[in-house]
Structures are given as C-alpha cells and as structure tokens.
Amino acid sequence: MKNKLILAIDGPAAAGKSTVAKLVAKKLNITYIDTGAMYRAFTLFVMQKGIDPQHQSACEALIPQVKILLAPTGEVYLNGIDVSKDIRDPKVSAQVSYIASYKAIRLALVDLQRHMAGNQSVVMDGRDIGTYVLPEANIKIFQIASVETRAVRRYEENLSKGIACTLESVEEDLRHRDYIDSHRDFAPLKPANDSILIDTSFMSVQEVVERILEIVHKKVGLIHA
Ligand code: DC
C-alpha cells in the first residue's frame, strides 16, 4: 500500500494507551493492534500450564505451543479460545512483566506483530513499538501520566469490569511492572528519540484523541504531499 500510516503509541502501564489507540484507529478507519494483550495471553498460558513465570527457560520452551490471534473485533484468542477477559485478571498483570522480559518470547511476538502490521495502516500500542517493533513508524507517541492518576484509572476500570482489587494493590502492581519493563536488557520501555510526549495526567480521553488526530493530520498532509 502506498502512503501507509504507522502510528506507534508507547508508554507505561495504564497510561490510557489502548483506550486512546482504539478510538484513534476507529476515527482513521485503520487497524488497531494491542501488543500488551499478546504478552498477557502468553502469560496466561504459562500460568495455565502451572509453570513459574520467573522460570525463563521453562517459559521459553512453551513458544511452539502458543498460538495468539487478535480478532479485528478486538477479542484475543489463545489456541482458539477467547481469553479477552482472563488476560486482564490482576494475577496475569502481576506476572506479565517477567514473561515480557524474555528475549525469545519477545522475538516470537515481535515477529507476529510485524507480520500483523504487514502492508496496512495501523495504530499499534505497547512499550517498544517506536524503538524496536516498527522504528519506521511515521508518528511515535509516548503517552505518560503520573502513577497516582494511572492507578485510579486502572482501579476504576477494573471495578467496572467486575475485577476485584484495591487501589493500593493496583498502584503497587503498576510501579512494579514499570520498573521491570524499563529495566530489562532487551527492548525496554523508553521513548524513541523522535517520539512526541503526551502527559495525559490532566487530559480527558477525548482531548488526547484530538491531540493525536491533530498530529496525524499534520503528518498525513506531509506523507501525501
Ligand atoms: O499494555 P499492557 O499493560 O496490557 O501490557 C502488559 C505487559 O506487557 C506490560 O507489563 C509490559 C509488556 N509489554 C511489553 O513489554 N512490550 C509491549 N510491546 C507491550 C507490552
């Protein structure tokens, strides 16, 4: 496809990336790819197998058994089963950063992510999209918010989905995950040099979406010029 648009949205846990990315993709009528969901699905499989998520080689040995599919309608399938709700369980959230720090697992999932992006325009959200997965992205957003704001947002989201948790446990989980995600050796969480920082601490979802669309429209003008 000529003039394809690749929009990368990276940032720490619960900064509102997926909510915003979904809305932006809908507005632009292009595909949304949630890469965090893929690490979560892998983690769920590890847990279902009764393997310790901190046992790297045992987790990596499962790679050939894991088939992950993101449906265009948003559902996440693990070996043919819809696990969209299960992967949001706080038990999965608490372990996923270990799985996401294993290089062989990252390489397998990055392969899939690049394949999914293929020859189409996409909005992809994650931690390393602008730095590693799709460094050729036309637009790179690094979306942040204070940890307190992120904890309140994730806590309220969990409650609305009927997921039991406390505000303290959510904040603790976010701090823990951010630490592991940004300190791993391979493709850690960090802004790309050419990324645009958006601090959403005091912005509504709609404001963030509009800001990104503005950036896209300016850039698309250039892409099509
Ligand atoms: O965005 P999320 O909270 O659903 O992501 C779950 C975990 O997966 C997160 O702790 C970090 C990891 N992740 C990653 O390492 N690289 C990505 N591209 C996406 C997510």
Side-chain angles (χ1 to χ4, degrees):
M1 186 209 271
K2 244 179 108 197
N3 299 330
K4 80 169 179 164
L5 174 73
I6 301 179
L7 173 51
I9 304 183
D10 290 303
K17 301 184 299 294
S18 64
T19 309
V20 164
K22 242 178 258 171
L23 290 168
V24 168
K26 196 166 173 205
K27 267 275 189 216
L28 297 173
N29 198 21
I30 62 178
T31 302
Y32 163 58
I33 301 171
D34 174 2
T35 62
M38 300 164 81
Y39 291 96
R40 287 172 176 274
F42 201 111
T43 304
L44 181 66
F45 188 70
V46 167
M47 294 167 77
Q48 285 172 347
K49 288 280 170 194
I51 286 167
D52 176 1
Q54 293 191 48
H55 190 325
Q56 180 168 358
S57 57
C59 293
E60 289 180 338
L62 296 178
I63 293 172
Q65 296 178 45
V66 176
K67 295 278 167 290
I68 295 167
L69 187 111
L70 302 188
T73 36
E75 293 84 8
V76 182
Y77 288 88
L78 169 62
N79 294 334
I81 294 165
D82 183 352
V83 293
S84 313
K85 182 149 191 275
D86 302 341
I87 59 168
R88 305 290 160 194
D89 191 296
K91 289 194 193 85
V92 172
S93 303
Q95 304 296 336
V96 62
S97 284
Y98 297 112
I99 301 303
S101 71
Y102 303 148
K103 187 171 177 182
I105 294 176
R106 293 199 74 80
L107 289 177
L109 295 186
V110 166
D111 227 32
L112 189 58
Q113 290 154 16
R114 288 181 179 151
H115 184 76
M116 287 172 72
N119 208 18
Q120 59 174 338
S121 292
V122 293
V123 179
M124 190 179 280
D125 88 42
R127 303 293 188 286
D128 59 339
I129 311 307
T131 53
Y132 185 76
V133 181
L134 302 171
E136 75 279 21
N138 313 97
I139 299 169
K140 301 177 184 179
I141 305 290
F142 199 77
Q143 190 170 321
I144 59 165
S146 70
V147 70
E148 293 81 11
T149 305
R150 291 187 283 127
V152 170
R153 287 181 188 161
R154 181 53 52 92
Y155 173 70
E156 288 174 352
E157 185 187 330
N158 283 355
L159 290 194
S160 75
K161 289 180 179 165
I163 298 171
C165 61
T166 63
L167 182 58
E168 292 70 31
S169 66
V170 170
E171 186 173 326
E172 176 54 34
D173 167 67
L174 294 182
R175 286 184 191 279
H176 178 66
R177 279 206 284 151
D178 288 349
Y179 183 85
I180 301 178
D181 294 342
S182 49
H183 286 81
R184 66 179 176 233
D185 291 335
F186 184 63
L189 164 68
K190 66 168 183 206
N193 293 334
D194 50 349
S195 64
I196 299 166
L197 184 82
I198 302 182
D199 185 341
T200 71
S201 301
F202 303 103
M203 291 173 83
S204 68
V205 167
Q206 208 42 48
E207 283 170 333
V208 184
V209 170
E210 275 162 23
R211 170 102 180 80
I212 294 176
L213 288 173
E214 234 172 69
I215 295 168
V216 170
H217 288 134
K218 271 194 198 140
K219 189 81 185 186
V220 167
L222 293 177
I223 294 171
H224 288 275

